[in-house]
Amino acid sequence: MSNKITPHPKTASSAKHAGLTLLQRTMERHVGLSASERALLAQYEQNPISTRKEALLWRAGNKVGELFILQSGWATTTRLSRDGEQQIIELMLPGDIIGLGEFTFAKHLTEARMITQGSVQSFPHENIVDIIAASTPITVALFANISRQHALVTERMLNAFHRNSRSRVLHFIIETFFRLEKIHHVELASFAFPVSQRLLANMLGLTPVHINRIFKGLEQDGLLKKFRDRIEIYDVKGVMEEAEFDNDYLAGDVDGLKERLAMLSPSDGSP
Amino acid sequence: MSNKITPHPKTASSAKHAGLTLLQRTMERHVGLSASERALLAQYEQNPISTRKEALLWRAGNKVGELFILQSGWATTTRLSRDGEQQIIELMLPGDIIGLGEFTFAKHLTEARMITQGSVQSFPHENIVDIIAASTPITVALFANISRQHALVTERMLNAFHRNSRSRVLHFIIETFFRLEKIHHVELASFAFPVSQRLLANMLGLTPVHINRIFKGLEQDGLLKKFRDRIEIYDVKGVMEEAEFDNDYLAGDVDGLKERLAMLSPSDGSP
DNA sequence: CGTACCTTTGACGGCTGTCAAAGGAAGTGG
DNA sequence: CCACTTCCTTTGACAGCCGTCAAAGGTACG
């Protein structure tokens, strides 16, 4: 019913950051790319598809067939838990590669779904094999990408085990802010956050009722207010202190590998 | 103090499964390897090091320099949480590659430490780049490996959010059993489990006190008993039912990629 | 202008944590 | 091989964070 995906050839690459496409930028967070490597990536972003809110990208149990590069909008991957709930595993933001962690599985473990309208670039999963064969730097960037995606989940588990609910909420908000900041300019004082209290509760392992109580408290304390699609932070200092955010796990550098990558033959990477 | 690692050239590859080394077997869970690819891997397993219980492999904040292939014994990776506790992120079993998720980071996020005596094969992290450049199938197997390692964490978070403590404990025990079974023959009725109640509590986000109450109950219900280094299951059927274990997320197949891998040039993989 | 979902509130309860202390088992050094 | 130390396991009393249940009020969307 809400699973419809409609073609939309005109939503292509955001032309910021020296004309790089989103995918190119995502990879260049981690490694430098040659012109031919950029071209290799560009060929996979020719045909973005516009999606509606709630659009289903795949279902758990489906044969793994394609990944999606999220071009605009927000999405989630979820897993069905024993009690019949869809537990959100990952929150995907523009530039993220949805399904990179599952291209080596025969069947999807997760379900992937847009939570806002947006656009995605489909990407046959076998092509990952071609990219691996064609370019070592891009492959390293893919490892870097998947590892950071995993670090987000790890961090969420860590926080679930060691923080109370209020601290978890604040941490998550700040984490999301920093992720957004890597994509485009955002103001901490007021930024887009199209996540319902219900979804937030799900991601953090809390109940919507309790999440609501937390936001009530945060507002009464003059720290921030959550609107339907946006968060406004009134007391930046207070929020940052209480969130105790340390963004090591979002760091992009692959320092120790640069020399080794430079030693590789420069012919690497052209299609 | 307990960080000592002593050289021990004689603990080399376990000679089961048609003479394959542990690393070769780990990779072949996911893809088929040519003779030259096996040779490529074998050259990295020449010099295992014997480790003591509690031996430190690396510390959080250390420059990333080497990975370890766990040859024997059990190990953990941990992250320091805000409250000063070392939260266990991963439990590593023989054949696992410790640190694969961090070779693209400049500094280690985690600490890695043996929890039993054992042996590890050190592996300079730059060599991962060489392997990626040399063999696409092995690279795909590395992706498969890292993805499954992470699926374990995801599953643990899922269970933390949706199961009560007793169910979590049972699930974890069965999960570990199935992981062990991929390495060597194990009996569900009685198998090695050198994890203290304290460590188990840490991994599952519970307190040692509560874990103890759970094992007390499990024993009183005639389901199982945990000894210091071993678990004995008295009521296999009862345990399996209550654990509600579904091992999709441990599945090894990379089915959809086999054809694409077969299309690659056969020269791939020789050193 | 109705319908569906999201947010908000209040009362109540339980799972699990905290605190404290004693008993055991393993490893260490003399 | 024994005494000592240390860490792990076990128990009991108590409490709190957050879940559950229920219902009303908002807000977007068709």
Side-chain angles (χ1 to χ4, degrees):
Chain A
M1 182 171 285
S2 56
N3 322 349
K4 214 55 182 308
I5 298 179
T6 57
H8 180 185
K10 215 50 213 167
T11 321
S13 44
S14 89
K16 283 185 148 193
H17 287 256
L20 294 184
T21 69
L22 255 184
L23 181 59
Q24 288 168 342
R25 284 170 56 199
T26 296
M27 297 296 105
E28 295 228 5
R29 277 184 210 163
H30 305 115
V31 300
L33 299 180
S34 67
S36 62
E37 283 161 343
R38 288 184 180 178
L40 175 65
L41 290 177
Q43 80 183 54
Y44 293 113
E45 282 183 294
Q46 307 281 8
N47 188 29
I49 288 167
S50 168
T51 66
R52 300 189 324 169
K53 202 170 166 168
E54 307 295 325
L56 183 68
L57 301 180
W58 64 72
R59 219 182 274 284
N62 283 176
K63 192 159 163 293
V64 173
E66 51 186 358
L67 317 183
F68 294 93
I69 299 152
L70 188 53
Q71 298 285 350
S72 65
W74 294 23
T76 58
T77 60
T78 64
R79 263 179 75 84
L80 190 64
S81 76
R82 222 47 83 269
D83 56 11
E85 300 280 303
Q86 287 288 144
Q87 171 63 47
I88 298 175
I89 304 299
E90 302 170 297
L91 175 65
M92 310 304 274
L93 304 181
D96 285 339
I97 302 170
I98 309 175
L100 188 57
E102 292 183 60
F103 87 95
T104 61
F105 283 86
K107 291 180 178 177
H108 279 295
L109 299 173
T110 63
E111 175 174 305
R113 192 182 284 278
M114 298 295 296
I115 61 174
T116 68
Q117 61 177 28
S119 63
V120 297
Q121 171 61 55
S122 165
F123 193 106
H125 81 313
E126 306 92 359
N127 290 4
I128 292 278
V129 175
D130 303 335
I131 289 178
I132 292 169
S135 166
T136 299
I138 295 179
T139 303
V140 169
L142 288 174
F143 270 106
N145 194 274
I146 204 173
S147 296
R148 277 151 191 79
Q149 205 62 49
H150 289 176
L152 290 171
V153 177
T154 297
E155 192 73 13
R156 199 136 42 85
M157 187 180 77
L158 184 69
N159 290 331
F161 288 175
H162 293 275
R163 292 172 185 254
N164 64 23
S165 53
R166 172 158 159 149
S167 177
R168 267 192 260 175
V169 169
L170 288 173
H171 180 94
F172 185 82
I173 289 170
I174 299 305
E175 173 186 277
T176 305
F177 168 78
F178 278 112
R179 289 177 66 196
L180 288 171
E181 204 186 28
K182 291 183 189 297
I183 310 167
H184 50 63
H185 177 73
V186 268
E187 291 289 347
L188 193 46
S190 175
F191 61 96
F193 195 83
V195 179
S196 70
Q197 293 187 16
R198 176 180 300 272
L199 286 188
L200 193 55
N202 184 308
M203 289 192 258
L204 300 180
L206 298 164
T207 56
V209 172
H210 200 68
I211 285 283
N212 184 66
R213 287 194 267 252
I214 290 164
F215 277 119
K216 212 74 208 300
L218 290 172
E219 196 178 335
Q220 279 168 7
D221 295 349
L223 287 176
L224 60 80
K225 181 164 168 57
K226 182 192 174 299
F227 297 88
R228 170 166 287 266
D229 291 341
R230 191 170 92 261
I231 281 182
E232 298 203 351
I233 298 189
Y234 304 133
D235 179 357
V236 169
K237 184 160 170 292
V239 167
M240 290 304 291
E241 278 177 14
E242 205 176 333
E244 294 185 284
F245 186 79
D246 178 350
N247 64 4
D248 283 358
Y249 65 103
L250 296 180
D253 10 331
V254 295
D255 279 6
L257 298 175
K258 282 182 181 152
E259 292 170 15
R260 201 53 153 241
L261 283 170
M263 288 168 57
L264 297 170
S265 82
S267 68
D268 212 358
S270 83
Chain B
M1 186 167 284
S2 56
N3 320 351
K4 212 60 181 305
I5 298 178
T6 57
H8 181 187
K10 214 51 214 167
T11 321
S13 41
S14 89
K16 285 187 143 190
H17 287 257
L20 294 184
T21 69
L22 256 184
L23 180 58
Q24 288 167 343
R25 285 170 55 200
T26 296
M27 297 295 105
E28 295 228 4
R29 278 184 209 163
H30 305 116
V31 300
L33 298 180
S34 67
S36 62
E37 283 160 344
R38 286 184 180 178
L40 176 64
L41 291 177
Q43 79 182 53
Y44 293 114
E45 283 183 294
Q46 308 281 10
N47 188 31
I49 289 167
S50 168
T51 67
R52 301 189 324 172
K53 199 171 170 172
E54 308 294 325
L56 182 67
L57 302 179
W58 64 71
R59 219 182 272 285
N62 281 175
K63 191 159 164 294
V64 173
E66 52 186 356
L67 317 184
F68 293 92
I69 299 153
L70 188 53
Q71 298 285 352
S72 65
W74 294 22
T76 57
T77 60
T78 63
R79 263 179 75 83
L80 188 65
S81 75
R82 223 46 84 268
D83 55 11
E85 299 280 301
Q86 286 287 144
Q87 171 62 48
I88 298 176
I89 303 300
E90 301 170 298
L91 175 66
M92 312 303 273
L93 304 182
D96 286 338
I97 303 169
I98 310 175
L100 188 56
E102 293 184 59
F103 87 94
T104 61
F105 284 86
K107 291 182 177 177
H108 279 294
L109 299 173
T110 64
E111 175 174 306
R113 192 182 283 278
M114 297 296 295
I115 61 173
T116 69
Q117 61 177 28
S119 63
V120 298
Q121 169 61 55
S122 164
F123 192 107
H125 81 313
E126 306 92 358
N127 290 4
I128 293 278
V129 174
D130 303 335
I131 289 178
I132 292 170
S135 166
T136 300
I138 295 179
T139 303
V140 169
L142 289 174
F143 270 107
N145 193 275
I146 203 172
S147 296
R148 277 151 191 79
Q149 204 59 50
H150 196 259
L152 291 171
V153 177
T154 298
E155 192 73 13
R156 201 137 40 86
M157 188 181 75
L158 184 70
N159 290 332
F161 288 175
H162 294 275
R163 293 173 184 254
N164 63 26
S165 54
R166 173 157 159 149
S167 177
R168 265 191 262 177
V169 169
L170 288 172
H171 179 94
F172 186 81
I173 290 169
I174 299 305
E175 173 187 278
T176 305
F177 168 78
F178 278 111
R179 289 176 66 194
L180 289 171
E181 205 186 28
K182 291 183 189 294
I183 309 167
H184 50 64
H185 177 74
V186 269
E187 291 288 347
L188 193 45
S190 176
F191 60 97
F193 195 85
V195 178
S196 69
Q197 292 186 17
R198 178 182 297 272
L199 285 188
L200 193 56
N202 184 308
M203 290 193 257
L204 300 180
L206 298 164
T207 56
V209 172
H210 199 68
I211 285 282
N212 185 66
R213 288 195 268 252
I214 290 165
F215 277 119
K216 212 74 208 296
L218 290 170
E219 195 177 337
Q220 279 169 8
D221 295 350
L223 287 177
L224 60 79
K225 181 162 166 62
K226 183 191 175 300
F227 297 88
R228 169 165 288 265
D229 290 341
R230 189 169 95 260
I231 281 182
E232 299 203 351
I233 298 189
Y234 304 132
D235 179 358
V236 169
K237 185 160 168 293
V239 167
M240 290 304 289
E241 278 176 15
E242 204 176 333
E244 294 185 284
F245 187 79
D246 177 351
N247 65 3
D248 283 357
Y249 66 102
L250 297 179
D253 10 331
V254 296
D255 278 7
L257 298 175
K258 282 181 180 150
E259 293 169 15
R260 198 55 152 243
L261 284 169
M263 288 168 57
L264 298 170
S265 83
S267 69
D268 213 357
S270 85

